[in-house]
């Protein structure tokens, strides 16, 4: 008779407790701990019996490892993120918000591999066979020879897969719906997800099939269930995008067999996901080039340059604490750029609301965007549009200097390809550069600000309006001293400068 263990496990981080408590010490989550009963079967029988281990032969690092050919789907954006195709015997996890298109992507990938003569099995734990068929019909892929099953029991799935001829790829949609006979917890709990994933990892390593797991993400963007699944798999991809846009981005977060900074860009159409071979063109389409407050950032996503438009709106605030709203960039980074503009360039935005948006729904992680963000902010504040044919890149340091960034040549080449004629870049990064466009080097943010201010339309009246708007804002503070005491102090400080 197997021993029954009861433990209390945090459903978001996997921490184990002897008794229930309201808050998980591990991740700080409230009410995430639930009771799970497990028959101690995840430990192999041999270990439980106390058998001595068998010695294994140690190998040399040097050897004749002949890697199996990768499974290439022909969907270029997907293959590139995977590092040139899927590796046989590997297991990978694709996470993403519900409805973002994970199942669509994987049905398309399965069909593409099957059309190349590989044996692919698609196991849906969430949808019935008919629903998957309907989707395949909508995608025009119903003729592809993909084995289909609606099943949630991990043992049944592995028995099915092991029964027939060898399988090249298996899709499990999703890992949160899987359960194993060996544990008694409900499907979706940490123990079930972990045990099912373990069984599938073992299957992948033993048979050389590539297993793709779909994982749901929680509200804060983490893959739901235990983070341990992320440690067990060879690669973790996230499929991102927001509801308002058609663009979807596949990003590698971890990849044992390929780069982690590559992205694949797709567009969701009425007939599934289509590849976007040149994302810059897409992100820059419908650009309002002459408007103040927009700057084009020449960024890098992995090995690929991507040009995006950064939009800023700076407006006098009527609030005590001005708003800072950011979409697609790091809010802390924005605070830093604002602080540097204030302290080193005399650009005071303490009384203004600041909105920053990366057009097209792309999320930028690079500090190289600092220069473009600063340019967009100053342009919006002064009302001076930036040159429509210029791109920007460069990292701002806290001293106000602009530091060089990597891969300047590739960024400039992409800009030239898309018809841009000039670039505003860090002066420190000019060595060995053969710019295909005319460059205007800047060494500090102050220099950038001076350049934009010089081109600002001479509108003393406009400036007065702006200043009087600020004075009005101050006046309203003075009129309401009780509620606004704190801000009033801040404004007092501002007056001094
Ligand atoms: P789905 O792949 O079911 O998302 P997930 O598995 O990540 O939850 O995608 C569902 C969404 O995609 C749904 O809102 C409809 C949309 N969609 C299209 O726009 N075009 C298509 O061809 C398909 C199949 C789906
Ligand atoms: Mg789905």
């Amino acid at each position: 008779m197997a021993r029954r263990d009861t433990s209390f496990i945090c459903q978001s981080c996997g921490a184990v407790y002897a008794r229930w408590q309201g808050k998980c010490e591990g991740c700080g989550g409230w009410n995430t701990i639930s009771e799970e009963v497990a028959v101690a079967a995840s430990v192999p029988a041999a270990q439980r019996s106390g058998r001595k281990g068998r010695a294994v032969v140690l190998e040399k690092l040097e050897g004749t490892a002949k890697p199996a050919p990768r499974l290439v789907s022909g969907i270029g954006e997907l293959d590139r993120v995977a590092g040139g195709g899927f590796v046989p015997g590997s297991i990978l996890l694709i996470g993403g918000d519900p409805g973002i298109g994970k199942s669509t992507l994987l049905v398309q990938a399965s069909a593409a591999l099957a059309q190349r003569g590989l044996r692919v099995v698609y196991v849906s734990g969430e949808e019935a066979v008919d629903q998957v068929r309907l989707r395949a019909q909508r995608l025009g892929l119903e003729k592809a020879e993909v084995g289909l099953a609606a099943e949630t029991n991990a043992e049944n799935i592995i028995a099915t897969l092991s029964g027939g001829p060898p399988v090249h790829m298996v899709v499990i949609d999703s890992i949160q719906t899987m359960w194993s006979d060996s544990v008694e917890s409900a499907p979706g709990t940490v123990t079930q997800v972990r045990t099912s994933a373990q069984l599938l990892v073992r299957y992948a390593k033993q048979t050389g099939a590539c297993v793709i797991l779909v994982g749901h993400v929680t509200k804060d963007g983490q893959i739901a269930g235990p983070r341990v699944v992320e440690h067990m798999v060879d690669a973790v991809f996230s499929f991102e995008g927001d509801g308002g846009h058609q663009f979807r981005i596949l990003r590698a977060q971890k990849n044992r067999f390929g780069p982690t900074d590559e992205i694949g860009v797709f567009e969701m159409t009425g007939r599934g996901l289509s590849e976007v071979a040149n994302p810059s063109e897409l992100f820059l389409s419908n650009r309002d080039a002459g408007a103040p407050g927009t700057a084009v950032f020449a960024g890098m996503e992995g090995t690929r340059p991507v040009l995006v438009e950064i939009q800023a709106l700076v407006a006098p605030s009527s609030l005590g604490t001005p708003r800072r709203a950011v979409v697609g960039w790091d809010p802390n980074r924005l605070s830093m750029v604002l602080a540097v503009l204030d302290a080193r360039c005399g650009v005071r935005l303490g009384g203004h609301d600041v909105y920053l948006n990366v057009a097209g729904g792309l999320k930028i992680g690079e500090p190289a965007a600092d220069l473009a963000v600063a340019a967009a902010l100053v342009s919006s504040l002064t009302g001076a549009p930036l040159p429509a044919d210029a791109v920007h890149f460069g990292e701002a340091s806290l001293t106000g200097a602009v530091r060089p960034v990597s891969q300047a040549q590739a960024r400039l080449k992409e800009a030239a390809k898309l018809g841009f004629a000039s670039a505003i870049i860090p002066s420190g990064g000019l060595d060995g550069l053969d710019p295909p466009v005319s460059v205007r080097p800047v060494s500090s943010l102050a220099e950038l600000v001076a350049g934009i201010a010089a081109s600002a339309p001479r509108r003393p009246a406009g400036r007065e309006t702006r200043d009087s708007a600020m004075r009005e804002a101050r006046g309203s503070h003075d009129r309401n001293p009780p509620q606004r005491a704190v801000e009033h102090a801040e404004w007092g400080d501002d007056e001094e400068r």
Side-chain angles (χ1 to χ4, degrees):
M1 176 67 190
R3 188 166 57 89
R4 287 166 64 100
D5 276 334
T6 300
S7 42
F8 294 82
I9 302 180
C10 171
Q11 301 298 309
S12 80
C13 73
V16 184
Y17 299 91
R19 66 182 73 82
W20 191 86
Q21 58 191 57
K23 185 183 179 188
C24 171
E25 314 277 346
C27 65
W30 284 95
N31 212 9
T32 55
I33 295 170
S34 68
E35 180 175 7
E36 291 193 23
V37 186
V39 180
S42 45
V43 184
Q47 272 179 31
R48 270 181 275 139
S49 68
R51 175 184 75 89
K52 278 227 178 81
R54 172 179 58 85
V56 293
V57 184
L58 299 178
E59 310 272 354
K60 286 212 165 62
L61 275 178
E62 193 184 12
T64 47
K66 197 163 159 284
R70 294 200 177 219
L71 311 175
V72 178
S73 68
I75 304 178
E77 298 290 302
L78 178 64
D79 291 335
R80 199 190 41 251
V81 176
F86 299 105
V87 176
S90 70
I91 180 152
L92 47 96
L93 179 67
I94 295 190
D97 291 330
I100 204 76
K102 301 180 293 296
S103 307
T104 308
L105 177 69
L106 291 174
V107 167
Q108 286 182 259
S110 307
L113 284 164
Q115 279 161 352
R116 293 177 159 232
L118 301 177
R119 247 180 76 81
V120 183
V121 172
Y122 187 98
V123 182
S124 178
E126 300 194 332
E127 290 162 299
V129 169
D130 280 344
Q131 285 172 300
V132 182
R133 275 196 193 126
L134 275 176
R135 176 179 287 125
Q137 259 170 32
R138 182 173 175 188
L139 300 170
L141 296 171
E142 69 273 23
K143 294 275 187 301
E145 295 274 334
V146 177
L148 195 58
E151 179 57 59
T152 53
N153 181 278
E155 279 88 2
N156 289 355
I157 291 169
I158 289 170
T160 313
L161 296 172
S162 313
V167 176
H168 295 100
M169 191 169 95
V170 187
V171 176
I172 306 285
D173 186 3
S174 64
I175 186 66
Q176 273 95 1
T177 56
M178 295 295 138
W179 61 281
S180 158
D181 296 326
S182 57
V183 284
E184 277 179 28
S185 322
T189 53
V190 173
T191 317
Q192 282 290 11
V193 170
R194 189 164 39 194
T195 313
S196 310
Q198 253 160 8
L199 289 169
L200 290 161
V201 169
R202 205 175 307 153
Y203 166 79
K205 304 288 170 204
Q206 275 169 2
T207 63
C210 170
V211 176
I212 300 185
L213 307 177
V214 173
H216 293 288
V217 294
T218 54
K219 271 185 252 113
D220 46 352
Q222 295 197 343
I223 291 175
R227 304 225 57 188
V228 281
V229 175
E230 292 183 32
H231 301 296
M232 281 165 15
V233 299
D234 296 309
V236 179
F237 298 163
S238 68
F239 203 39
E240 308 168 349
D242 63 66
H245 290 103
Q246 298 304 311
F247 318 127
R248 301 284 183 267
I249 291 164
L250 185 69
R251 200 184 284 277
Q253 291 176 345
K254 157 183 172 176
N255 194 347
R256 287 185 184 150
F257 308 111
T260 52
D261 48 6
E262 288 291 358
I263 61 165
V265 184
F266 297 89
E267 190 175 5
M268 183 62 96
T269 68
R271 284 175 63 88
L273 292 157
S274 67
E275 291 178 65
V276 177
N278 192 339
S280 305
E281 246 163 47
L282 194 77
F283 291 129
L284 292 179
S285 60
N286 305 321
R287 190 161 77 91
D288 192 359
T294 66
V296 176
F297 166 53
M300 293 296 296
E301 291 287 352
T303 53
R304 207 162 39 154
V306 177
L307 267 53
V308 279
E309 185 186 50
I310 304 224
Q311 307 167 340
L313 177 64
V314 173
S317 178
S318 56
L319 301 167
T321 309
R323 283 185 70 110
R324 268 88 181 91
V326 191
V327 179
W329 206 46
D330 179 7
N332 295 326
R333 201 86 208 161
L334 173 66
S335 306
M336 196 199 91
V337 171
L338 289 174
V340 175
L341 282 174
D342 186 313
R344 311 284 176 204
C345 317
V347 178
R348 312 248 182 270
L349 292 170
H352 289 70
D353 290 334
V354 175
Y355 302 89
L356 192 79
N357 179 34
V358 178
L362 188 73
K363 288 197 188 75
I364 302 179
E366 270 192 299
D370 292 352
L371 197 68
V373 169
L377 290 169
V378 176
S379 160
S380 174
L381 181 73
T382 59
L386 298 167
D389 62 354
V391 298
H392 298 72
F393 59 85
E395 183 180 343
S397 89
L398 288 179
T399 59
V402 175
R403 300 157 56 124
V405 298
S406 63
Q407 315 208 50
Q409 186 68 32
R411 297 173 200 259
L412 292 176
K413 231 172 101 189
E414 177 78 0
K417 203 172 97 193
L418 285 161
F420 286 88
S422 61
I424 293 151
I425 66 170
S427 59
L430 290 173
D431 291 350
L433 204 62
D434 174 23
V437 295
S438 82
V439 296
R440 216 197 88 206
V442 289
S443 60
S444 66
L445 281 189
E447 200 180 327
L448 174 84
V449 172
I452 299 171
S455 71
R458 295 208 171 275
R459 281 187 319 175
R463 189 153 293 181
E464 238 166 59
T465 328
R466 212 172 285 273
D467 283 348
S468 64
M470 284 174 72
R471 262 199 301 278
E472 245 174 64
R474 285 167 206 203
S476 76
H477 284 274
D478 292 336
R479 280 196 297 276
N480 302 313
Q483 306 101 296
R484 307 269 180 130
V486 180
E487 293 94 68
H488 185 69
E490 268 177 31
W491 281 104
D493 184 322
D494 207 78
E495 303 269 23
E496 268 172 35
R497 288 188 203 144

